[in-house]
Amino acid sequence: MSAEPSDGASQDVRAAVLEVLQTFNKTGVNLEDGTRFTEDLNFDSLLVMEFIAALEDRLDISVPLNVLPDIETVGQLVVATEQIVREEHG
Amino acid sequence: MADLFDRFESLLARRDSLVGDGGHDPFQVEMDEVLSQTEAMIGNRRTILAGTNNYLGLTFAPESLQAAHDALEAAGTGTTGSRVANGTYSGHKALEQALCSFLGKDHAIVFSTGYLANLSVLSTLVGPDDYILMDADCHASIYDGVRMGDAQIIRFKHNDAADLDKRLARLAKKPGNKLIVIEGIYSMLGDKAPLDDIVAVKKKYDDVYLLSDEAHSLGVLGRYGRGLPEEADLEDDVDFIVGTFSKSVGTVGGFCVSSHPQFDLLRLACRPYIFTASLPPSVVASAKASLELVEKGGALRKRLMRNAERLHSGLSALGFTLGGEISPVVAVVAPEVEIGVAFWRGLIDGGVYVNLALPPATPQNFTLLRCSLCAAHTTEQVDRIIEVFADVADSLVMLPKQPKKKVALG
Ligand SMILES: Cc1ncc(COP(=O)(O)O)c(C=O)c1O
């Protein structure tokens, strides 16, 4: 098991996710942990792919497609992304 | 009450907004009569087929027709089941042997389509502890195949070996096999994979395998038509080759070949091999006959490339934006979906059939008028295709409702 990330690192990941997501936020809703990709942000499968690619670039990670079906909200994505960053760069 | 089909509402709305005006529907084209490899009757009009994937024009090859006839008479119209449950015919074995000797691999498995070949191999070859690294522009059958399996699925940027390298480097510490999945020629834009760069990256790491889907490059690339690995002289570095008989080979069916000593084990594991009927004898026989013609098809490949160059240069001289390098797939980029539909209709009214490809099935969300050439196209037919493209571009400028869009396909 890897160590818990420092608050600093997880703040960075959260900030990066929100920063990238903001560029895809066409509906203009507030981005909170409970914001849902499909219902609130109107993401379709194509947009999801583009957004994930941008997030991968921003954080220099690979997000396996397998994790996507379980992610409905921004908060869930932040948690999943933190874990990937930990695994790939920790 | 909610109807079952309510969930397709947005799909229906999109279709209606695009083609619901009663005009010719690009996705429901009826070929009333197929006249040859390059012509069909579509709605009473003799139409040049420039969207068939029939690259070598083998659908009417006398040898293949004869082989199909003979097998039909000898072994009947169908196998009525899968090879696992209902038996392998001698034709299946002969076809697999022919694939082995043509492609220089020790083992071959024939599947009922190329789609099923990808589902089969990609869902079983790698397991939960393994990784698939697939080019982002891969075909839907590859996406569906990896989703059916348990491996971790990672996409790398299209044709970007450096991006693949980065992603493999991050996985290097992790146990598990890694399978890179690419295509020889990508179906939508006709661009080739940078195979030498990809093989160089593959060789930097341990436990990495390479699979190439040669659907559009088999018969097209290489002196003997063995696809991109032959052209790049890297056949030993591609561990698995997937292909289809539905394009250059001119019939239907799919396959995977490999020299891995245990490859045949897949027959026991692939559900789309075990649970679907095997190819009928006539199809198997024509595929085998056509493979021989593919191997001997140097002259056909020359004609095909000459046609490709002519269409490519003709359309770019007219100012169209083309999707890729010169290849038998010539994709014209339309500035928006509505123009794509109007343009497609103009072409069909002018007697030219191409494929309209729309996002999300296209790279970079392009709307594409995708032409594919055939060795059997005459120079006159290619020139006629170019002429009709020019006419339609002109006429679209005059569409009163779209005065600003006269860049047409600039
Ligand atoms: C790259 C690629 N793979 C696989 C297939 C599927 O082949 P088939 O038509 O034999 O199912 C196609 C075409 O449809 C393709 O373009």
Side-chain angles (χ1 to χ4, degrees):
Chain A
M1 291 256 51
S2 53
E4 283 298 300
S6 73
D7 281 347
S10 91
Q11 281 309 317
D12 289 349
V13 170
R14 171 178 297 270
V17 169
L18 293 178
E19 175 198 312
V20 177
L21 189 53
Q22 196 59 51
T23 64
F24 287 82
N25 182 1
K26 305 254 162 62
T27 60
V29 298
N30 259 346
L31 299 178
E32 291 161 357
D33 273 359
T35 308
R36 294 164 302 175
F37 288 99
T38 313
E39 292 85 350
D40 302 325
L41 289 164
N42 258 339
F43 271 33
D44 57 19
S45 57
L46 196 64
L47 209 55
V48 168
M49 290 302 191
E50 285 179 16
F51 163 61
I52 292 299
L55 185 64
E56 289 182 322
D57 276 350
R58 174 69 176 71
L59 288 169
D60 201 26
I61 53 171
S62 294
V63 178
L65 297 192
N66 318 55
V67 306
L68 299 183
D70 294 329
I71 295 176
E72 284 171 18
T73 66
V74 171
Q76 289 167 341
L77 178 67
V78 169
V79 171
T81 309
E82 281 168 357
Q83 187 181 342
I84 293 168
V85 169
R86 229 169 17 239
E87 281 178 12
E88 296 205 341
H89 296 287
Chain B
M1 278 306 291
D3 187 273
L4 259 186
F5 282 71
D6 286 351
R7 57 196 296 264
F8 299 113
E9 225 162 71
S10 63
L11 193 65
L12 181 67
R14 176 146 192 260
R15 188 190 135 242
D16 280 350
S17 78
L18 285 180
V19 297
D21 56 4
H24 210 139
D25 182 345
F27 308 110
Q28 313 225 19
V29 173
E30 290 180 21
M31 313 230 168
D32 299 313
E33 191 188 345
V34 174
L35 303 171
S36 71
Q37 305 98 305
T38 59
E39 283 190 319
M41 297 300 294
I42 297 178
N44 293 328
R45 197 176 208 304
R46 207 180 173 94
T47 302
I48 300 174
L49 301 177
T52 58
N53 304 319
N54 191 0
Y55 298 115
L56 299 182
L58 296 181
T59 47
F60 286 89
E63 297 89 331
S64 312
L65 288 173
Q66 189 59 51
H69 277 297
D70 294 347
L72 186 63
E73 295 288 342
T77 51
T79 63
T80 68
S82 99
R83 288 171 63 183
V84 176
N86 309 78
T88 284
Y89 284 34
S90 60
H92 295 128
K93 292 276 289 236
L95 178 56
E96 284 170 347
Q97 272 151 19
L99 282 165
C100 287
S101 56
F102 175 43
L103 293 169
K105 300 282 187 197
D106 296 341
H107 307 280
I109 303 179
V110 166
F111 298 91
S112 298
T113 65
Y115 181 87
L116 292 175
N118 274 329
L119 287 195
S120 293
V121 174
L122 296 169
S123 68
T124 50
L125 203 50
V126 272
D129 300 325
D130 301 327
Y131 297 85
I132 296 231
L133 290 110
M134 59 182 285
D135 187 290
D137 279 6
C138 276
H139 187 256
S141 57
I142 292 172
Y143 274 90
D144 292 356
V146 301
R147 285 205 175 103
M148 238 173 88
D150 302 316
Q152 295 293 306
I153 309 156
I154 292 170
R155 306 190 315 162
F156 63 92
K157 291 200 182 107
H158 175 55
N159 274 353
D160 189 337
D163 189 54
L164 171 66
D165 193 0
K166 247 181 14 188
R167 290 170 196 267
L168 275 171
R170 292 195 296 250
L171 294 175
K173 298 168 287 195
K174 301 203 182 184
N177 295 307
K178 287 101 194 176
L179 178 67
I180 303 169
V181 182
I182 59 168
E183 295 177 22
I185 289 182
Y186 286 86
S187 55
M188 283 295 144
L189 299 180
D191 48 342
K192 279 184 235 174
L195 191 58
D196 35 5
D197 296 344
I198 286 172
V199 165
V201 169
K202 174 197 168 194
K203 287 182 166 166
K204 287 173 65 179
Y205 303 94
D206 296 327
D207 304 323
V208 183
Y209 297 83
L210 175 59
L211 179 150
S212 184
D213 182 341
E214 296 289 319
H216 293 269
S217 31
L218 189 90
V220 169
L221 299 179
R223 177 152 184 233
Y224 297 101
R226 299 197 299 264
L228 183 62
E230 184 198 350
E231 185 186 78
D233 197 13
L234 291 167
E235 292 180 277
D236 290 342
D237 294 294
V238 182
D239 305 286
F240 303 93
I241 290 177
V242 168
T244 174
F245 303 138
S246 74
K247 305 187 196 299
S248 282
V249 183
T251 176
V252 67
F255 66 86
C256 183
V257 298
S258 173
S259 288
H260 193 289
Q262 313 242 265
F263 184 67
D264 271 325
L265 278 177
L266 286 185
R267 292 184 204 268
L268 306 176
C270 294
R271 296 173 64 85
Y273 178 81
I274 301 170
F275 294 108
T276 196
S278 62
L279 290 173
S282 55
V283 165
V284 169
S286 65
K288 181 165 175 289
S290 292
L291 275 180
E292 286 168 28
L293 301 176
V294 166
E295 187 166 15
K296 289 189 295 201
L300 294 176
R301 277 182 279 285
K302 279 214 187 76
R303 290 231 297 275
L304 174 65
M305 285 317 289
R306 222 172 33 222
N307 286 339
E309 275 158 30
R310 194 172 184 94
L311 184 63
H312 200 278
S313 63
L315 291 177
S316 41
L318 287 170
F320 288 107
T321 305
L322 303 183
E325 56 210 90
I326 294 180
S327 93
V329 175
V330 179
V332 175
V333 181
E336 42 190 280
V337 173
E338 289 73 17
I339 294 182
V341 173
F343 208 98
W344 183 89
R345 286 176 172 164
L347 292 173
I348 204 84
D349 290 342
V352 172
Y353 169 76
V354 305
N355 312 125
L356 178 65
L358 303 179
T362 51
Q364 300 164 57
N365 290 346
F366 282 144
T367 294
L368 298 174
L369 296 150
R370 175 189 179 276
C371 313
S372 65
L373 287 145
C374 179
H377 279 130
T378 61
T379 306
E380 292 71 35
Q381 284 176 318
V382 176
D383 289 346
R384 177 68 191 149
I385 296 168
I386 297 167
E387 200 179 304
V388 177
F389 261 92
D391 290 348
V392 176
D394 275 348
S395 74
L396 276 188
V397 177
M398 288 183 264
L399 276 182
K401 274 194 287 183
Q402 310 184 330
K404 291 250 174 62
K405 297 194 178 139
K406 69 170 177 202
V407 250
L409 303 169

